[in-house]
Amino acid sequence: MSYADPGPRSPHPDRPEPPEPPGRPGRSRRTPVVLLTALVCGGLLGWLGYEAVGAPDDGSAAPPPASASSASPAAPGAPSGSPGPSSEDGKGSGAGTLAGKVVVIDPGHNPGNFRHTSQINRPVDIGTDRKECDTTGTSTNDGYAEARFTLDVAHRLRTLLQRQGVTVKLTHDDGSPDWGPCVDERARIGNSAHADAALSIHADGAAPGDRGFHVILPAAVHGGAADTRPIAAASEVLGEHVADGFRRSTGEPPSTYLGGGTGLVTRKDLGGLNLSTVPKVFIECGNMRNRTDAALLTSGSWRQRAAEGLSEGIVSFLRGS
């Protein structure tokens, strides 16, 4: 904070100086001013020295003032822990350690799929076979849709990755398009972006007694338009990082019904993996039909931890650690 300089005072020749107080010979009235000036100068020099050396790293120092380049605040009325606004093209500020890296996030299904059953039921080529374009996904017993869950986690994950400088692209977002895209198109979006990593987010609809998460890895398939041999090994490494980060952050156990307790499953019947030419995995974050998992999946704070775990895994993979 700066103060305005009052400037020199106007002399008053018609007002004689008062006599010096008795018993204090030789001392000028300006002595307090001189002392004050010395104190101010000394304090300023001390502050400059402190700034040059640096404040102790104990968390007590005040943060620097915000500048024009600071990140935008959360939108008014946004709930605590919700992701803040992001740039329209999904590109981070570039200030993070992973500037130049590209990640494609594929939120499983689409909230509008149920209105377009004829479109999503038509078969498409997945390389080794033909399967339906997409499905509506599952939901909890209380009606919380998988497509809503996956989009929410995708938004949170995008925000976290952008803070690292990653360029993030979503296969669909907030009703655009209003259904799909089909599984083959989802793979092409990652391929066209030349993604360093791609992740498809899901939640399962297994038997009520089953719970836990699992990460799906692409098998090394070669047939028709599918050839995952060049990306199978890298995808396995990506999947291991994602599983480790997700488990640490959420505390969710590996699937009790698939993967033999490893949290990792390999499949060759998923078009989104078969047609990918970049490292890609799926994650089933939990079982929406299981009461314990459903309570977690419907919790905003848990979804934030899920996004943090996914981010941790992807960042670790991108750094090669």
Side-chain angles (χ1 to χ4, degrees):
M1 184 180 292
S2 61
Y3 294 91
D5 182 2
R9 300 189 182 208
S10 300
H12 298 279
D14 56 330
R15 296 182 186 176
E17 289 284 338
E20 187 176 87
R24 301 172 66 182
R27 184 166 181 173
S28 168
R29 293 178 68 253
R30 293 181 176 82
T31 300
V33 176
V34 173
L35 289 175
L36 178 60
T37 302
L39 288 173
V40 170
C41 292
L44 178 60
L45 289 173
W47 178 82
L48 290 173
Y50 179 86
E51 286 295 298
V53 176
D57 188 18
D58 61 359
S60 60
S67 67
S69 61
S70 300
S72 301
S80 176
S82 63
S86 59
S87 60
E88 185 176 348
D89 64 358
K91 189 171 183 179
S93 64
T97 60
L98 294 172
K101 296 294 186 180
V102 178
V103 171
V104 168
I105 304 173
D106 178 26
H109 313 289
N110 186 315
N113 276 0
F114 74 96
R115 293 189 294 266
H116 299 272
T117 54
S118 62
Q119 290 96 328
I120 67 170
N121 286 336
R122 67 180 177 85
V124 298
D125 183 9
I126 64 167
T128 57
D129 201 351
R130 293 182 68 82
K131 292 184 70 172
E132 61 269 27
C133 158
D134 201 359
T135 69
T136 60
T138 187
S139 68
T140 66
N141 293 333
D142 291 333
Y144 180 57
E146 178 188 1
R148 294 290 180 190
F149 167 81
T150 64
L151 199 54
D152 181 77
V153 174
H155 288 162
R156 296 170 187 268
L157 175 57
R158 175 175 61 186
T159 298
L160 294 170
L161 291 174
Q162 285 177 335
R163 291 175 185 169
Q164 298 286 338
V166 176
T167 296
V168 180
K169 298 181 182 297
L170 270 62
T171 58
H172 68 96
D173 192 14
D174 286 334
S176 179
D178 59 355
W179 62 273
C182 296
V183 294
D184 55 341
E185 177 60 21
R186 291 170 187 257
R188 282 194 290 270
I189 291 171
N191 299 343
S192 298
H194 303 289
D196 296 284
L199 175 69
S200 190
I201 303 172
H202 290 262
D204 214 352
D210 298 332
R211 72 164 303 208
F213 80 93
H214 63 276
V215 176
I216 304 174
L217 315 174
V221 298
H222 182 213
D227 187 1
T228 61
R229 293 174 299 176
I231 56 105
S235 296
E236 182 176 1
V237 175
L238 171 61
E240 290 170 349
H241 281 285
V242 167
D244 288 345
F246 188 82
R247 181 171 54 244
R248 280 196 300 268
S249 183
T250 64
E252 178 76 356
S255 170
T256 61
Y257 57 100
L258 287 172
T262 66
L264 300 173
V265 177
T266 301
R267 291 178 60 172
K268 59 182 180 181
D269 63 328
L270 298 176
L273 295 180
N274 284 0
L275 300 175
S276 182
T277 60
V278 300
K280 183 175 182 178
V281 297
F282 280 42
I283 182 168
E284 299 280 3
C285 296
N287 179 14
M288 300 197 99
R289 297 297 187 179
N290 176 272
R291 184 174 181 178
T292 301
D293 277 359
L296 299 174
L297 296 165
T298 54
S299 163
S301 60
W302 188 89
R303 293 195 298 273
Q304 182 64 26
R305 293 199 300 274
E308 290 167 359
L310 297 175
S311 175
E312 178 186 329
I314 292 172
V315 166
S316 180
F317 171 77
L318 294 177
R319 289 176 175 164
S321 57

